[in-house]
Amino acid sequence: MSTTAPHGFRAAGVAAGLKSTGALDVAVVVNDGPRFDSASVFTANRCKANPVLWSQEVVKDGTVRAVFLNSGGANCYTGPEGFQTTHAVAEAVAGHVGCGAVDVVVCSTGLIGLTNPRDQVLAGATAACEALATDGGQQAAEAIMTTDSLSKTVVVEGAGWSIGGMAKGAGMLAPQLATMLVVLTTDAVVPAADLDAALRAATRVSFDRLDSDGCMSTNDTVTVLASGASGITPSLDDFTAALTQACTDLAMQLLRDAEGAEHDIAVTVLGAASEDDAVEVGRSIARSNLFKAAVFGRDPNWGRVLASVGTTAAAFDPADLDVAMNGVWVCRGSAPSADPAGVDLTGREVTVTVDLKSGAERATVWTNDLTHAYVHENSAYSS
Amino acid sequence: MSTTAPHGFRAAGVAAGLKSTGALDVAVVVNDGPRFDSASVFTANRCKANPVLWSQEVVKDGTVRAVFLNSGGANCYTGPEGFQTTHAVAEAVAGHVGCGAVDVVVCSTGLIGLTNPRDQVLAGATAACEALATDGGQQAAEAIMTTDSLSKTVVVEGAGWSIGGMAKGAGMLAPQLATMLVVLTTDAVVPAADLDAALRAATRVSFDRLDSDGCMSTNDTVTVLASGASGITPSLDDFTAALTQACTDLAMQLLRDAEGAEHDIAVTVLGAASEDDAVEVGRSIARSNLFKAAVFGRDPNWGRVLASVGTTAAAFDPADLDVAMNGVWVCRGSAPSADPAGVDLTGREVTVTVDLKSGAERATVWTNDLTHAYVHENSAYSS
């Protein structure tokens, strides 16, 4: 049910010809109210795509009526022509919905530097708006896929209200302060300021902790829309917990579908002086090509873990670090401990635990292994 | 001729059984004077191997008589036992040379967390010291190879003096303030303080600009030894220029032999507000797996270049960036320009040029592409 699981939403996904395969490539999600609260986070990349430049302005007043999304082209670094296409499609959706263009978020995904044919985009917007339905969430989720092998959706039930969501993303997957394309909906009554606080809390421990390939996208957008159609106002804590559950669920779906990956790796850093230290150390390991290639080869090479830890500014004693892989403490006090031969890396799920012994904070960063298939997919993406 | 090209040096390389293949694995380079000036730089990685912890103390007084090097094990994170092995081998070499152990630099390379058998290491040190010869530089260069496919040596001739050198390194190749294992020798008269200034100037623009795989080693060491045997004192500028030439030559040999690489990529950043900005932007591109996989696939995907630029804090206008690949300006003013189809990426040498249009500074960072062979080599390294 995706984004149309909560009351007060319609969605659609159509094929506008932006993908040469003829697959669904344009989606629209509309909030029918009675409330139109919203919150969004965007990529921290300073090179932002045209839809991000547009949508950053749209969301400032906390009101969003509709989200337009297309795959088949990121509309990034396409010049003034590209920005005009974004503006034109917002106008077109607004005309159908009966709102102003400044209440329409636009998201695009696909190749950077590729100009989306404006006529096709506008025709797609019209077709999607005409197809809007209260059960259109699944088609919308399929229309935003690029190299994704599966559509990603989530529903979390509250007490008389719910959260629905969809996500796309399989590469260029190292969001910071935002991520990929994600639309979340809820029929709970949540004023825009609370929605913003809940969304930032939820993304900070979900999408922001995902680092599949160290590459930050130019188009990452997460938007949450609240219709208030349930008439129920949950506590901010309850709503934040449910939104965090939804975001984490979608983040794990992204992790499992990462391009070419054979392993999902959870890097947990314990004993950190601060949560920031734990995240910095976790991310440094998650970005080590040597470590990631070793996991692909089912090689419990903990030396590469320590070599990554040593590149950070986190508080720790280099002579007193512990490392476990899949629960086997292969390194204690920065010296060999349990035999690495006891670490079985044949399964898809891999855990790495590093104890910095410098405090009580902890964090988990999720990543994937570096595989032949990753190299293959990404060496042939635009050709 | 490697490290024995200048007057006043002997070297040797022997097989001590540390490598299961029976290949050469222990090297010694000795300075016979009359002067014993030296300078060294080490890895910036906070997780340093035992030989680095030892050698950092040895070099502090500017005097080094000999360098012992072994492949077949990095002696990193091997506990107090490992440090004692480093100390013992320094004592052994000192006994043969007739100096104190505190004048013997020790370098090790190979797998992290692997304990080197002390008896084999000591027997190797004795055998190497007994084999020392004024033409032993080539054997020493071969003895320090790990995954290197070729030995790396250099000779630069000055006016009546010369510089010789050897290097090893093919992976975990993203030095900062130091690099890999490199021993340089000269028969010029260069006091230790000048030698230190020259070495830091030379490594800053050579090894420090090499970023093959973004992974910083725990064992990187560069040591230069000056015998003064020529009796000639070059100007510091002349010596620094020659040392920079030697270091750059060795760095390019490392680049060309990087594990699994099919392309050598020179990323040049122009129009930067500062040299630091230029290096930061260059390094961000050099570390983009997506960009590096695209080059492997001969795909001039300049969007991935801009996506990397956007992750930096350098001064630039995201709406006004130019990008060229192999001299073809595929992006001007952050919009598509020349047809990327005109970029021929079939050759080994690839250039990427980014104009930040924010100043007059520039820098070049060298990297390699991300290939199936890189993944293969590094997924099977310790198994």
Side-chain angles (χ1 to χ4, degrees), chain A residues 203-214:
Chain A
T203 56
R204 192 177 69 85
V205 296
S206 55
F207 301 121
D208 282 1
R209 300 281 165 89
L210 185 64
D211 197 325
S212 173
D213 62 3

Side-chain angles (χ1 to χ4, degrees), chain B residues 6 21 46 49 64 73 84 97 148 161 204 214 267 269 273 310 363-364:
Chain B
T21 58
R46 291 171 60 202
V64 169
Q84 287 159 17
V97 173
D148 308 69
W161 52 275
R204 193 177 69 85
V267 181
V269 180
T364 297

Side-chain angles (χ1 to χ4, degrees), chain B residues 31-56:
Chain B
N31 181 355
D32 288 321
R35 296 178 60 99
F36 306 103
D37 300 286
S38 81
S40 297
V41 287
F42 299 97
T43 181
N45 198 313
R46 291 171 60 202
C47 290
K48 297 185 203 309
N50 284 311
V52 173
L53 296 174
W54 166 263
S55 299
Q56 281 182 320

Side-chain angles (χ1 to χ4, degrees), chain A residues 45-46 289 299 304 307 310 314 382, chain B residues 45-46 289 299 307 310 314 378 382:
Chain A
N45 197 312
R46 291 170 61 202
N289 280 349
D299 171 11
R304 293 175 179 177
S382 72
Chain B
N45 198 313
R46 291 171 60 202
N289 280 349
D299 171 9
N378 287 299
S382 72

Side-chain angles (χ1 to χ4, degrees), chain A:
Chain A
M1 289 292 287
S2 170
T3 48
T4 48
H7 296 292
F9 295 93
R10 289 175 295 153
V14 299
L18 299 172
K19 285 178 179 163
S20 57
T21 59
L24 303 182
D25 49 18
V26 163
V28 172
V29 179
V30 172
N31 181 355
D32 288 322
R35 296 178 60 99
F36 306 102
D37 300 287
S38 80
S40 297
V41 286
F42 298 97
T43 182
N45 197 312
R46 291 170 61 202
C47 290
K48 297 184 203 307
N50 285 310
V52 172
L53 297 174
W54 166 262
S55 299
Q56 281 183 320
E57 299 304 314
V58 164
V59 304
K60 282 185 176 168
D61 66 355
T63 298
V64 169
R65 293 289 300 270
V67 181
F68 169 92
L69 313 94
N70 75 271
S71 51
N75 195 2
C76 181
Y77 287 108
T78 49
E81 167 80 12
F83 190 82
Q84 288 160 16
T85 296
T86 293
H87 183 211
V89 78
E91 290 280 4
V93 171
H96 286 280
V97 172
C99 65
V102 294
D103 287 337
V104 179
V105 163
V106 177
C107 303
S108 299
T109 181
L111 194 64
I112 297 172
L114 185 72
T115 300
N116 295 330
R118 191 176 302 166
D119 290 350
Q120 285 185 351
V121 173
L122 292 176
T126 297
C129 286
E130 288 171 351
L132 284 166
T134 55
D135 62 355
Q138 180 56 37
Q139 282 180 305
E142 290 171 17
I144 61 175
M145 293 165 61
T146 53
T147 55
D148 307 70
S149 67
L150 297 164
S151 62
K152 286 114 180 159
T153 64
V154 70
V155 176
V156 176
E157 295 290 346
W161 52 275
S162 66
I163 293 173
M166 65 178 185
K168 69 78 49 180
M172 205 174 265
L173 205 57
Q176 281 182 26
L177 307 184
T179 181
M180 306 73 59
L181 300 187
V182 179
V183 178
L184 296 148
T185 55
T186 183
D187 51 8
V189 177
V190 191
D194 287 350
L195 209 53
D196 186 67
L199 182 61
R200 289 179 192 281
T203 56
R204 192 177 69 85
V205 296
S206 55
F207 301 121
D208 282 1
R209 300 281 165 89
L210 185 64
D211 197 325
S212 173
D213 62 3
C215 294
M216 197 196 306
S217 161
T218 51
N219 289 54
D220 293 344
T221 301
V222 184
T223 290
V224 55
L225 309 173
S227 69
S230 70
I232 297 171
T233 306
S235 75
L236 183 54
D237 281 353
D238 284 354
F239 182 75
T240 300
L243 193 64
T244 301
Q245 186 184 332
C247 287
T248 302
D249 189 305
L250 289 174
M252 293 302 104
Q253 292 183 54
L254 294 167
L255 181 72
R256 287 195 292 272
D257 195 32
E259 287 167 350
E262 295 197 0
H263 291 86
D264 302 335
I265 310 170
V267 182
T268 298
V269 180
L270 308 173
S274 68
E275 192 177 337
D276 284 351
D277 270 13
V279 172
E280 182 188 358
V281 170
R283 198 179 287 277
S284 78
I285 297 165
R287 290 190 173 178
S288 166
N289 280 349
L290 291 175
F291 164 70
K292 291 152 73 90
V295 172
F296 169 58
R298 301 177 180 181
D299 171 11
N301 193 323
W302 57 269
R304 293 175 179 177
V305 174
L306 289 184
S308 297
V309 175
T311 64
T312 72
F316 64 84
D317 175 0
D320 191 17
L321 294 165
D322 293 357
V323 180
M325 298 185 74
N326 281 359
V328 180
W329 290 92
V330 288
C331 171
R332 291 270 197 197
S334 293
S337 183
D339 186 349
V343 180
D344 179 3
L345 295 176
T346 53
R348 184 167 179 103
E349 309 295 325
V350 172
T351 65
V352 176
T353 313
V354 177
D355 190 344
L356 299 180
K357 304 182 187 178
S358 300
E361 300 300 320
R362 59 182 291 164
T364 297
V365 174
W366 292 279
T367 190
N368 299 103
D369 54 345
L370 178 60
T371 68
H372 290 298
Y374 176 89
V375 173
H376 177 72
E377 279 201 46
N378 287 299
S379 62
Y381 182 61
S382 72
S383 47

Side-chain angles (χ1 to χ4, degrees), chain B residues 15 61 66 77 105 147 156 161 170 193 228 265 268 317 358:
Chain B
D61 65 355
Y77 288 108
V105 164
T147 56
V156 175
W161 52 275
I265 309 169
T268 299
D317 175 359
S358 300

